[in-house]
């Protein structure tokens, strides 16, 4: 549920991106890496077990929330300290290759570029950050800027509204456009106190809740509350 869509690089773009990354290694710190999907997986201080990594979505959310030591607001604050700007999405997730529990936060920086910041869900350290440099980076940045201009409430109020509607823990949020009319909306995923995953859509212009529903897996599984 990222506000900035991840695109697959073309072979030529991949070569150029790799060359650029190599050229930057000497002057870039370990916390500021321009790694692609084939780069080293981030190693956080919190690890999910092998079994937990392969649970279905809601069960994994439960395992991740239980292991997480950082709220979405704390993770966002850490990302904004690393890259000053506007947070457009955040997601509690695990790095598939290592099981490391992380917060992935997208920030539209003051440099008018999209940045992806990876935060350790255990201790809040910045594990990785990189700038969107693919062929569509300029277009993506323009689209993000337009969404931010239309947004009047920000991620903090949006997540507060979602938790008021569904008491629980925010596991992700993202600023996006409404498929129906193109207006800006915040989409917030909450693991409710009922142990079910809820999706809440909020109007970014006025903070009103446009839609909320339980994840389809929970709707189809009456035993979904079992731990």
């Amino acid at each position: 549920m990222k506000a900035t869509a991840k695109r697959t690089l073309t072979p030529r773009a991949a070569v150029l991106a790799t060359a650029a990354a190599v050229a930057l290694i000497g002057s870039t710190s370990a916390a500021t890496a321009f790694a692609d999907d084939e780069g080293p997986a981030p190693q956080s201080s919190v690890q999910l077990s092998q079994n937990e990594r392969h649970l279905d979505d809601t069960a994994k959310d439960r395992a991740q929330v239980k292991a997480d030591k950082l709220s979405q607001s704390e993770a966002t604050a850490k990302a904004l300290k690393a890259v000053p700007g506007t947070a457009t999405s955040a997601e509690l997730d695990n790095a598939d290759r290592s099981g490391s529990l992380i917060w992935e936060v997208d920030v539209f920086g003051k440099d008018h570029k999209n940045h992806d910041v990876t935060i350790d869900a255990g201790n809040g350290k910045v594990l990785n950050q990189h700038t969107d440099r693919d062929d569509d980076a300029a277009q993506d940045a323009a689209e993000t800027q337009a969404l931010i201009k239309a947004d009047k409430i920000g991620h903090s109020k949006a997540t507060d509204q979602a938790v008021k509607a569904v008491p629980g823990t925010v596991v992700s949020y993202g600023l996006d456009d409404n498929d129906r009319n193109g207006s800006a909306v915040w989409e917030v995923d909450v693991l409710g106190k009922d142990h079910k995953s809820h999706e809440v859509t909020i109007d970014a212009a006025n903070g009103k809740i446009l839609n909320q529903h339980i994840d389809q897996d929970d709707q189809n599984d009456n035993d979904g509350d079992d731990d």
Side-chain angles (χ1 to χ4, degrees):
M1 200 179 66
K2 293 282 188 180
T4 304
K6 306 300 181 187
R7 291 179 169 82
T8 303
L9 292 176
T10 63
R12 179 175 180 274
V15 171
L16 293 175
T18 302
V22 171
L24 286 165
I25 287 175
S27 60
T28 306
S29 69
T32 309
F34 297 95
D36 60 17
D37 290 340
E38 298 304 319
Q43 296 290 325
S44 79
S45 60
V46 180
Q47 308 286 320
L48 294 186
S49 70
Q50 187 72 24
N51 288 338
E52 288 172 329
R53 295 178 217 174
H54 296 93
L55 294 170
D56 63 37
D57 290 344
T58 300
K60 184 184 285 188
D61 280 348
R62 294 178 200 144
Q64 291 181 161
V65 167
K66 185 176 181 179
D68 180 38
K69 308 299 181 184
L70 219 60
S71 68
Q72 59 81 20
S73 58
E74 291 172 324
T76 300
K78 295 285 185 181
L80 290 174
K81 185 175 181 180
V83 181
T86 302
T88 57
S89 75
E91 182 178 11
L92 179 63
D93 202 358
N94 71 284
D96 292 335
R97 283 171 286 167
S98 67
S100 290
L101 190 61
I102 55 176
W103 278 96
E104 292 185 320
V105 185
D106 283 348
V107 177
F108 186 71
K110 292 185 177 180
D111 57 1
H112 301 289
K113 296 179 181 179
N114 286 312
H115 299 257
D116 189 353
V117 186
T118 302
I119 306 292
D120 189 318
N123 57 29
K125 290 184 178 180
V126 176
L127 299 176
N128 186 14
Q129 71 181 67
H130 66 267
T131 306
D132 183 5
R133 292 172 178 269
D134 67 21
D135 289 344
D136 298 314
Q139 180 182 341
D140 289 345
E143 292 172 355
T144 302
Q145 192 167 22
L147 286 171
I148 291 173
K149 185 176 181 179
D151 175 41
K152 306 301 180 185
I153 64 173
H155 76 275
S156 182
K157 186 173 181 179
T159 52
D160 284 347
Q161 289 288 84
V163 172
K164 284 180 182 179
V166 182
T169 302
V170 173
V171 295
S172 73
Y173 67 76
L175 180 62
D176 206 346
D177 58 328
N178 189 322
D179 291 336
R180 295 181 179 179
N181 57 22
S183 62
V185 295
W186 285 97
E187 296 179 343
V188 185
D189 287 347
V190 179
L191 180 65
K193 290 184 177 180
D194 58 1
H195 302 293
K196 296 181 180 180
S197 294
H198 299 254
E199 299 177 11
V200 185
T201 302
I202 298 166
D203 191 319
N206 56 31
K208 291 183 179 180
I209 294 176
L210 300 176
N211 186 28
Q212 71 179 76
H213 63 271
I214 297 174
D215 186 273
Q216 192 66 37
D217 288 342
D218 285 335
Q219 291 177 341
N220 294 335
D221 184 1
N222 291 328
D223 297 326
D225 292 345
D226 295 341
D227 290 328

